């Protein structure tokens, strides 16, 4: 993989050039003590002090709410439909996503791309360039190394930056052609990089369990009690799904604008919600929270690997950080190992 | 975007039939002539039906693929979307996406007898298969239908029930729950599983197709066991809640299967290999 070096002082100039041809730039911004991906006009707004942003960068490809098409009902009962216009999707650069978020683009693409292509997702993905930044720090919730990831993994990124030296610059690994085109925009701002090993600058994320063993035990535990004991305190709030970089379940709803016009939209949803599978008749195939917790874990660790050859978890730890009742996914997964 | 999988086809409501209290059949015709000409589906498949302004509901296609030029859906007015669909009148426009899902293996059933067991509003998914079989009658041996509803008024497709009753090549048995009969009722009185046991159909060279509320299915399977039907010769169609219909939204998953892609038609043998989350 081709490597370059860019001094931190040149980052602003590079990102400025990246924005010059009308691309939107999304990057971590800290507001009111919370770091989230926001559209930025200058690298001055970017904050990279965090271990992990509150939300992943998922929304750039799979927005929290998204219009699928619009309709207008005529007074005579006729209806005209207006299709969603992919040419209106802006070219975008996401700067500063962590390797666990970049790795989550694979399960997302698996879900939206298998069998039939989900154009609202794929058309967005076609227009995004992902500039990842390796992790030099981690916290107690991080477990990427337990689920096949790595704090310096380039998977999913078009360019992966790693802070090197005493923090005065970045090693840039050019992963894809799209990444290369973005680096070329920087021209001389990128210097040659020789003799730099990123491994010296990465966080040490401990391996907390053997995921193969966890998956094996989990697959055989469907009728077990572990789901009940683990989820006894789950509130069913869905926060874990809403911060997850790999969760893709969604609802389809109508956003009526009055006078017969409106949009069909999709919005994020969660298998943890009691209404998720509720039939109109009142019958509910997953009527208890423990059944819904079981579905969440089995979906990510058994069904998705079986079906899409990819796990639905990259070990970012957001679900554990966000959980209001301190459920810790890495700990709960570890419990399966000892079943 | 010509290939937006969420964009419905506009369809015109050609005919509205009030089947029972709160239950309607809509006959739909594609507005786009090219779609109307090329649209194909098979028995067991479903679609997403749009009431613009309210949303989509999932129903099977209740008409037979042997009847060309239109599709029909039958639904009970129960929630927001079905209430909106029920307000639509002949000549008005709604939306349809589909056909989705797998199909009843009618080709594999050639030369066999068919036993249909349906309860309440679950006759519509079966009506598609029944007409398909009747329109290709020589492919099958005996065709028997057991259909039950809460009351006489709740029986759907009353005209077609009469037609099936009069056909010499169909054995139809209708039943209503105790208390649901009227003074002139000539059918059976009793719950579907009990009437099925009394009906005592042969399992030999016979496929049973069972559709109904979960409680009916639960008590009908053991009766079929007793009658000697093997799990691979019993079929049903699952009704898990769906939104996208195309294996994305994550709602209808049962184990690693998607009801919308791998189903909705499953044999009992296939169901037994799945977690009971349906």
């Amino acid at each position: 993989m081709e490597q370059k070096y860019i001094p931190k002082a040149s980052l602003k100039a590079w990102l400025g050039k990246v924005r010059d041809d009308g691309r939107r730039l999304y990057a971590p911004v800290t507001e009111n003590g919370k770091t989230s991906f926001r559209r930025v006009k200058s690298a001055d707004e970017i904050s990279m002090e965090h271990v992990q942003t509150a939300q992943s960068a998922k929304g750039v490809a799979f927005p929290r709410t998204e219009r699928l098409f619009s309709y207008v009902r005529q007074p005579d009962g006729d209806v005209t439909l207006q299709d969603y216009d992919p040419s209106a999707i802006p070219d975008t650069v996401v700067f500063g996503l962590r390797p666990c978020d970049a790795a989550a683009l694979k399960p997302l693409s698996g879900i939206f791309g298998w069998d039939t292509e989900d154009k609202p997702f794929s058309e967005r993905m076609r227009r995004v360039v992902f500039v990842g930044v390796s992790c030099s720090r981690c916290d107690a919730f991080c477990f990427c190394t337990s689920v096949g990831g790595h704090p310096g993994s380039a998977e999913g990124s078009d360019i992966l930056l790693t802070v090197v030296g005493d923090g005065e610059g970045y090693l840039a690994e050019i992963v894809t052609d799209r990444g290369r085109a973005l680096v070329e925009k920087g021209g001389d701002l990128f210097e040659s990089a020789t003799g730099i090993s990123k491994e010296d600058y990465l966080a040490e994320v401990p391996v907390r369990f053997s995921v193969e063993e966890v998956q094996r035990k989990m697959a055989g535990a469907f009728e077990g009690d572990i789901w009940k004991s683990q989820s006894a305190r789950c509130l069913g709030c869905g926060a874990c799904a809403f911060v997850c970089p790999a969760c893709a379940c969604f609802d389809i709803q109508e956003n009526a604008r009055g006078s017969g016009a409106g949009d069909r939209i999709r919005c994020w949803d969660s298998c943890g919600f009691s209404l998720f599978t509720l039939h109109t008749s009142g019958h509910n195939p997953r009527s208890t929270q423990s059944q819904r917790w079981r579905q969440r874990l089995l979906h990510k660790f058994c069904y998705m690997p079986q079906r899409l050859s990819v796990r639905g978890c990259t070990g970012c730890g957001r679900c554990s950080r966000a959980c209001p009742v301190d459920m810790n996914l890495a700990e709960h997964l570890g419990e399966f190992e000892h079943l | 975007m010509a290939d937006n999988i969420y964009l419905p086809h506009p369809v015109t409501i050609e005919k509205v039939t009030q089947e029972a209290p709160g239950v309607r059949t809509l006959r739909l015709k594609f507005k786009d002539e090219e779609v109307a000409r090329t649209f194909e589906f098979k028995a067991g498949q479903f679609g997403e039906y749009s009431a613009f302004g309210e949303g989509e509901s999932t129903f099977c296609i209740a008409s037979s693929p042997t009847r060309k030029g239109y599709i029909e859906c039958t639904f009970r007015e129960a929630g927001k979307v079905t209430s909106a669909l029920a307000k639509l009148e002949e000549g008005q426009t709604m939306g349809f996406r589909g056909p989705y899902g797998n199909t009843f293996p009618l080709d594999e059933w050639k030369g066999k007898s068919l036993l249909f067991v349906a309860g309440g509003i679950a006759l519509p998914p079966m009506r598609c298969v029944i007409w398909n079989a009747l329109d290709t009658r020589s492919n099958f041996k005996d065709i028997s239908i057991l259909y039950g509803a809460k009351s006489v008024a709740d029986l759907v497709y009353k005209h077609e029930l009469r037609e099936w009753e009069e056909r010499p090549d169909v054995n139809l048995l209708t039943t209503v729950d105790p208390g649901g009969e009227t003074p002139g009722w000539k059918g059976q009185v009793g719950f579907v599983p009990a009437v099925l046991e009394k009906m005592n159909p042969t399992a030999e060279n016979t496929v049973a197709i069972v559709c109904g509320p979960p409680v009916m299915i639960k008590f009908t399977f053991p009766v079929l066991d007793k009658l000697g039907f093997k799990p691979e010769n019993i079929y049903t169609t699952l009704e898990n809640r769906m939104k996208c219909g195309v294996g994305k939204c994550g709602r209808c998953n049962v184990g690693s299967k998607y009801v919308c892609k791998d189903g909705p038609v499953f044999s009992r043998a296939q169901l037994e290999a799945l977690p009971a989350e349906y």
Side-chain angles (χ1 to χ4, degrees):
Chain A
M1 201 180 305
E2 193 187 347
Q3 299 190 343
K4 295 264 188 187
Y5 175 83
I6 180 166
K8 225 171 200 177
S10 300
L11 194 69
K12 185 179 175 183
W14 176 47
L15 292 178
K17 284 177 188 246
V18 162
R19 284 185 70 248
D20 274 351
D21 50 6
R23 281 197 179 92
R24 290 189 182 181
L25 177 62
Y26 283 81
V29 173
T30 302
E31 286 171 335
N32 303 318
K34 197 165 147 181
T35 307
S36 304
F37 283 90
R38 294 269 183 273
R39 192 176 166 191
V40 299
K41 293 209 160 63
S42 155
D44 290 339
E45 298 169 56
I46 300 173
S47 155
M48 287 305 295
E49 298 309 308
H50 57 282
V51 166
Q52 190 54 278
T53 51
Q55 282 283 358
S56 76
K58 170 172 87 176
V60 173
F62 174 39
R64 189 150 59 184
T65 61
E66 178 171 36
R67 190 173 72 90
L68 299 171
F69 65 87
S70 302
Y71 61 86
V72 182
R73 273 189 322 216
Q74 312 296 343
D76 64 358
D78 200 1
V79 176
T80 51
L81 301 181
Q82 193 191 4
D83 202 350
Y84 161 95
D85 177 15
S87 69
I89 301 169
D91 286 329
T92 300
V93 171
V94 176
F95 174 88
L97 75 166
R98 297 300 188 196
C100 48
D101 280 3
L105 297 167
K106 192 176 173 188
L108 289 178
S109 300
I111 290 167
F112 287 115
W114 87 279
D115 189 62
T116 45
E117 186 183 350
D118 183 294
K119 287 269 180 176
F121 177 82
S122 63
E123 291 286 344
R124 281 179 194 278
M125 280 294 279
R126 260 181 358 110
R127 291 166 172 78
V128 195
V129 185
F130 293 97
V131 182
V133 175
S134 302
C135 299
S136 53
R137 291 189 298 133
C138 66
D139 68 13
F141 298 108
C142 292
F143 64 99
C144 62
T145 50
S146 307
V147 288
H150 188 260
S153 167
E155 190 185 346
S157 291
D158 296 292
I159 302 169
L160 179 69
L161 302 180
T162 304
V163 182
V164 293
D166 290 328
E168 70 275 3
Y170 293 99
L171 178 72
E173 292 170 85
I174 301 166
V175 188
T176 66
D177 289 341
R178 277 197 274 187
R180 180 181 312 282
L182 213 60
V183 165
E184 281 167 4
K185 281 205 155 306
D188 295 343
L189 295 172
F190 285 87
E191 304 163 10
S192 66
T194 44
I196 308 173
S197 166
K198 71 173 175 183
E199 303 300 323
D200 299 339
Y201 303 97
L202 299 177
E204 280 183 29
V205 184
V207 176
R208 302 180 197 277
F209 50 81
S210 152
V211 74
E212 289 77 19
E213 185 65 0
V214 166
Q215 288 178 193
R216 198 180 64 77
K217 293 277 183 68
M218 194 183 274
F222 190 87
E223 301 293 346
D225 292 330
I226 187 165
W227 314 103
K228 275 187 193 155
S229 58
Q230 290 188 342
S231 66
R233 67 187 193 273
C234 177
L235 306 176
C237 72
C240 48
F242 277 66
V243 296
C244 178
C247 270
C249 289
F250 60 84
D251 194 2
I252 297 179
Q253 286 289 343
E254 217 82 333
N255 188 20
R257 283 190 261 111
S259 58
D263 301 320
R264 177 80 38 90
I265 58 168
R266 73 164 156 206
C267 37
W268 293 356
D269 206 341
S270 168
C271 62
F273 291 148
S274 59
L275 301 182
F276 191 66
T277 51
L278 180 67
H279 293 200
T280 313
S281 67
H283 173 68
N284 193 344
R286 290 193 279 273
S287 59
T288 67
Q289 202 59 44
S290 66
Q291 292 170 333
R292 298 191 279 273
W293 170 248
R294 179 173 64 189
Q295 168 65 17
R296 179 171 180 76
L297 263 55
L298 285 172
H299 190 220
K300 288 180 175 298
F301 293 93
C302 295
Y303 306 151
M304 283 179 66
Q306 265 180 49
R307 195 81 197 210
L308 305 170
S309 303
V310 61
R311 264 187 293 275
C313 174
T314 60
C316 73
R318 278 195 188 81
C319 52
S320 309
R321 287 186 203 96
C323 182
V325 291
D326 298 328
M327 290 175 73
N328 185 311
L329 183 59
E331 280 175 21
H332 287 321
L333 291 172
E335 286 162 16
F336 283 92
E337 202 172 13
H338 306 296
L339 272 189
Chain B
M1 189 163 39
D3 38 7
N4 179 355
I5 52 179
Y6 303 104
L7 185 71
H9 295 295
V11 289
T12 305
I13 301 173
E14 272 201 331
K15 190 176 154 200
V16 178
T17 310
Q18 188 75 37
E19 302 285 359
V23 178
R24 287 184 163 215
T25 296
L26 305 181
R27 178 173 290 191
L28 309 171
K29 198 170 176 185
F30 291 99
K31 289 197 159 193
D32 184 303
E33 282 176 19
E34 181 65 12
V35 176
R37 201 173 54 76
T38 55
F39 181 82
E40 282 186 0
F41 74 101
K42 285 186 168 174
Q45 291 192 290
F46 67 94
E48 295 291 338
Y49 300 77
S50 280
F52 296 106
E54 296 297 342
E56 284 179 317
S57 260
T58 313
F59 320 120
C60 65
I61 301 173
S63 53
S64 167
T66 51
R67 312 284 169 104
K68 307 283 186 196
Y70 62 86
I71 54 169
E72 288 180 331
C73 65
T74 301
F75 58 93
R76 187 193 300 281
E77 215 177 305
K80 192 173 68 146
V81 177
T82 47
S83 299
L85 289 173
K87 285 196 190 78
L88 295 175
E89 295 166 5
E90 288 173 8
Q92 290 192 315
T93 300
M94 53 183 270
F96 174 84
R97 290 193 287 130
Y100 297 138
N102 70 350
T103 66
F104 285 101
L106 280 153
D107 286 341
E108 286 173 31
W109 296 347
K110 278 182 184 168
K112 292 179 190 275
S113 294
L114 306 180
L115 167 68
F116 295 94
V117 183
I121 191 67
L123 186 58
M126 218 171 269
R127 176 213 195 205
C128 167
V129 198
I130 293 173
W131 278 120
N132 195 339
L134 291 178
D135 289 345
T136 53
R137 187 64 188 85
S138 58
N139 284 340
F140 307 99
K141 293 178 76 184
D142 297 342
I143 293 183
S144 308
I145 304 166
L146 167 58
Y147 173 47
K150 270 195 186 118
S151 71
V152 176
D154 286 315
L155 293 163
V156 300
Y157 305 135
K158 292 185 179 69
H159 289 286
E160 289 163 59
L161 291 176
R162 208 162 304 139
E163 201 178 328
W164 295 340
E165 192 161 29
E166 285 165 5
R167 279 180 75 136
D169 58 354
V170 177
N171 170 27
L172 173 76
L173 208 60
T174 46
T175 183
V176 294
D177 292 353
E181 67 271 31
T182 49
W185 175 243
K186 292 195 178 65
Q188 305 286 312
V189 176
F191 295 109
V192 166
V195 177
L196 175 65
E197 197 163 1
K198 213 163 65 183
M199 187 183 176
N200 195 27
T202 175
E204 205 194 315
N205 196 28
T206 304
V207 172
I209 304 102
V210 186
C211 284
V215 64
M216 186 205 95
I217 303 239
K218 187 180 161 190
F219 289 104
T220 299
F221 278 171
V223 176
L224 289 170
D225 282 343
K226 220 163 151 183
L227 293 167
F229 282 86
K230 293 206 172 72
E232 55 271 27
N233 291 330
I234 303 173
Y235 285 81
T236 189
T237 169
L238 294 186
E239 307 262 306
N240 281 39
R241 192 171 179 190
M242 294 175 191
K243 287 283 181 169
C244 72
V246 287
K248 312 288 180 203
C249 79
R251 207 163 295 263
C252 69
N253 304 33
V254 180
S256 65
K257 303 288 180 197
Y258 295 87
V259 174
C260 66
K261 298 300 308 184
D262 305 300
V265 176
F266 291 92
S267 73
R268 196 180 165 205
Q270 290 169 321
L271 285 186
E272 281 172 349
L274 292 179
E277 292 192 333
Y278 43 84

